[in-house]
Amino acid sequence: MRRLTWTLVAILIAAGVFLFVLAPPAPVRVDTAGWESLAARTVSGAYHVHTTRSDGHGDKAAVAAAAAGAGLKFVILTDHGDATRPPDPPEYVEGVLMLDAVEISTDDGHYVALDMPRAPYPLGGTGEAVAEDVHRLGGFGIAAHPDSPKAALRWTDPSAPIDGIEWINADSEWRDEPRRRLIRAGLTYFVRPAGSLAMLLDRPVTLDRWDALLRTRRVVALAGADAHGGAGKRVEDPTRTFFSTIGIPSYEASFRELSIRAVVDRPLAGNAVEDAKAVLGAIRRGSVFSVIDALASPALLDFHAVPSGATVTVLARATVPPGATMVLLGPSGEIATSSGRELRHEVPSGPGAYRVEVRVAGAPGDPPVPWLVGNPLGIELGVPERDVDTRPGGGGMPGRIAPFPWRIEKDAASSAIVRTSAYAAELEYTLAQGSRNSQYVALATDVHQQAFRAIDLELQPDRPMRLFVQVRTEDGRRWGRSFYVDAAHTAVHAELSAMRGVGGLTDSVPSGESVTSILLVVDLTNSVPGRSGRLHVLSSALAK
Ligand SMILES: [Zn+2]
Ligand SMILES: [Zn+2]
């Protein structure tokens, strides 16, 4: 018996020693002496976090406690939703500023909206439609896990007017790792949780996509923790079982793995509303950088540009661990490196985005993940920011011509009537109450072999809404595009070429001649069961 006990103890000790040998090293302590004023304005936080409000394991208090434990000052909660829940006002919990945002599911992947009031109708549909709505509502939108190995989660619309992009997403990164690395990380997690999670990171291809976007417009990149605290059924992956049910990775491990740093104008004063403005303002203007804290910490970055005639001096200062390389990237790729704490480089004035990365020796991944990723700052891109409210085509409204002869199409339980006068039609509808059951109401009209390329409408709804303009062919296939309409935005120019297949249809859009019906659809993409409303069609015409 005694002998057996000793054997067991010996095995346990050996296993423990083995795990310690296998475990990744502790984060390198970075010396920040002399950088106190920048440190006071550099606020660390976690972005992209789920709570029990959606598919996370812990509530807001648990998340705040974990963030406090990891030394973070703010958390941006991003529970799944359609943006119709009023966001919680900013508040300090356990000394951590808790900011409430939303992760919206679109046809093109997940889209996080920050700093946005409640939406007047459920946001959904194409990525472009959601990004456009987020803009109109004054929010800041970020394409989440854009290169997730899971196709359903990948952000697939590179042309949508996004404001930001997750250059790395900790919840996506492990999915492409070989099993042997996952097993090793699963074992060493019990010795060094954050370091073991970081072992699964690589340099994401999203960085190349981001650089390509930066050649045309400003897009802010953030590291997404996508922390769920482990358990529960997940929107991201409902099939996950073992590690998720035992609460791995924990919030605190996720928060110690990677984080973002907002560089604010003056240190936070403890007023939640004012501090939220400062942090979100810094994110909006790109005064924010990301750090893989499990490799080395803390991190400070001061990045600015000084114009001097025909050139601009780009100046980056960062606290770096020994053996690190600071890299300046510009429109043509890597343009300068420094092995010290400062990098100074002259670039031609004019359009161009410049950003810095700090790479550390021994970083995990193939290719290795950068330790610090900054955002382009202080240099005019010279390319106008995209105006999302511009409708494609334009072309002017047709005169007040008699409308199409509209009739109603709807599901059996919803109700609708249409009243027509000489120059207008008015739809009055109520989507059926109860559970979501593909409720819809549509104004429909038939066309026959007309060579049109667009539909021009003048619409007036009783409240802001998003209307799905669709065309249908003889065989029932449909294509469409949604348009925002309210009292001030009444003109809709629906180009056939800008429409997309409805219901997963991937066939390309037919020519006007093969369209047999035009439909103005109100469905659950941007509405809810039980909702009623009115829509005036003031004019309708086909544009050749
Ligand atoms: Zn997601
Ligand atoms: Zn998420």
Side-chain angles (χ1 to χ4, degrees):
M1 194 62 204
R2 213 189 160 93
R3 202 196 208 144
L4 189 65
T5 311
W6 280 113
T7 313
L8 272 174
V9 167
I11 289 173
L12 281 176
I13 290 173
V17 168
F18 178 67
L19 280 189
F20 271 95
V21 169
L22 215 59
V28 176
R29 255 341 264 183
V30 179
D31 178 16
T32 57
W35 294 61
E36 287 74 16
S37 78
L38 182 59
R41 293 190 295 111
T42 304
V43 194
S44 57
Y47 152 75
H48 199 153
V49 179
H50 294 272
T51 71
T52 44
R53 244 182 186 154
S54 61
D55 53 0
H57 179 51
D59 59 11
K60 192 193 258 192
V63 169
L72 300 184
K73 296 285 180 280
F74 70 91
V75 170
I76 300 177
L77 300 174
T78 57
D79 280 305
H80 298 281
D82 60 14
T84 54
R85 172 179 69 78
D88 291 347
E91 60 172 328
Y92 273 101
V93 182
E94 308 249 2
V96 178
L97 179 62
M98 303 299 285
L99 305 169
D100 193 16
V102 58
E103 183 174 12
I104 304 161
S105 297
T106 83
D107 298 347
D108 298 296
H110 290 176
Y111 197 58
V112 172
L114 310 181
D115 203 9
M116 186 175 77
R118 166 189 195 169
Y121 51 82
L123 302 194
T126 63
E128 185 181 28
V130 173
E132 196 187 291
D133 282 339
V134 167
H135 257 244
R136 184 178 312 97
L137 292 164
F140 184 84
I142 300 158
H145 39 74
D147 289 298
S148 170
K150 280 184 86 83
L153 298 179
R154 213 172 288 151
W155 182 263
T156 48
D157 186 354
S159 65
I162 61 170
D163 304 301
I165 191 169
E166 289 180 2
W167 69 269
I168 196 165
N169 178 292
D171 190 56
S172 296
E173 280 289 318
W174 60 270
R175 295 173 192 273
D176 58 355
E177 292 303 307
R179 184 167 290 245
R180 132 188 87 74
R181 266 177 93 177
L182 287 174
I183 291 171
R184 176 171 166 180
L187 289 173
T188 61
Y189 178 89
F190 297 96
V191 177
R192 190 152 282 135
S196 299
L197 296 176
M199 291 297 287
L200 303 174
L201 303 177
D202 296 278
R203 179 186 181 84
V205 290
T206 311
L207 282 170
D208 300 332
R209 271 176 80 174
W210 179 39
D211 283 330
L213 280 172
L214 286 177
R215 282 183 208 115
T216 61
R217 62 201 183 88
R218 226 169 76 83
V219 175
V220 172
L222 297 176
D226 215 348
H228 291 74
K233 214 168 179 209
R234 308 265 309 266
V235 170
E236 261 73 21
D237 187 0
T239 59
R240 257 176 108 189
T241 48
F242 176 66
F243 282 111
S244 52
T245 47
I246 56 173
I248 291 176
S250 72
Y251 285 116
E252 188 167 339
S254 298
F255 296 162
R256 287 179 183 276
E257 179 190 7
L258 51 80
S259 65
I260 61 170
R261 303 277 199 289
V263 184
V264 294
D265 294 331
R266 64 186 81 85
L268 300 187
N271 175 314
V273 172
E274 290 306 312
D275 294 352
K277 263 188 214 154
V279 168
L280 293 167
I283 291 173
R284 279 179 181 270
R285 62 177 187 272
S287 183
V288 59
F289 61 96
S290 313
V291 185
I292 313 296
D293 302 278
L295 301 180
S297 198
L300 298 171
L301 172 69
D302 175 26
F303 183 45
H304 58 265
V306 187
S308 52
T311 61
V312 176
T313 304
V314 175
L315 187 61
R317 295 189 315 129
T319 56
V320 298
T325 309
M326 207 186 312
V327 183
L328 178 68
L329 296 101
S332 56
E334 295 179 14
I335 49 176
T337 59
S338 162
S339 54
R341 296 184 146 207
E342 192 174 305
L343 188 153
R344 193 185 281 266
H345 192 77
E346 283 203 356
V347 302
S349 63
Y354 296 86
R355 64 178 187 88
V356 281
E357 268 183 33
V358 180
R359 300 171 189 165
V360 297
D366 179 24
V369 66
W371 169 63
L372 182 154
V373 173
N375 272 287
L377 258 188
I379 296 179
E380 280 306 312
L381 268 173
V383 179
E385 308 249 331
R386 186 168 157 176
D387 180 358
V388 294
D389 271 327
T390 308
R391 313 267 169 194
M397 280 306 300
R400 298 260 293 172
I401 57 163
F404 300 145
W406 295 106
R407 59 183 159 75
I408 302 276
E409 288 190 17
K410 62 179 189 65
D411 68 285
S414 297
S415 60
I417 51 167
V418 61
R419 296 188 195 91
T420 49
S421 62
Y423 289 100
E426 189 192 14
L427 168 73
E428 207 176 308
Y429 65 89
T430 303
L431 294 175
Q433 298 269 10
S435 54
R436 296 174 70 90
N437 196 16
S438 303
Q439 286 96 324
Y440 77 99
V441 163
L443 281 177
T445 194
D446 297 327
V447 288
H448 294 288
Q449 304 198 333
Q450 297 245 35
F452 70 98
R453 51 166 194 85
I455 304 153
D456 279 312
L457 300 160
E458 200 180 343
L459 303 167
Q460 208 151 51
D462 61 341
R463 70 175 109 183
M465 71 181 299
R466 201 168 248 288
L467 185 75
F468 209 168
V469 179
Q470 299 181 358
V471 296
R472 188 167 59 197
T473 49
E474 185 106 58
D475 53 12
R477 288 176 302 159
R478 285 178 293 148
W479 293 261
R481 182 167 186 193
S482 72
F483 294 86
Y484 174 80
V485 279
D486 68 17
H489 296 80
T490 58
V492 164
H493 179 74
E495 298 255 2
L496 277 185
S497 61
M499 292 187 178
R500 272 215 239 164
V502 175
L505 180 73
T506 54
D507 304 4
S508 52
V509 194
S511 67
E513 284 95 334
S514 26
V515 169
T516 53
S517 303
I518 292 167
L519 302 121
L520 311 184
V521 182
V522 178
D523 64 12
L524 298 184
T525 311
N526 297 110
S527 195
V528 289
R531 166 118 350 149
S532 53
R534 283 194 312 277
L535 175 72
H536 262 97
V537 184
L538 301 173
S539 73
S540 49
L542 298 177
K544 307 282 168 188

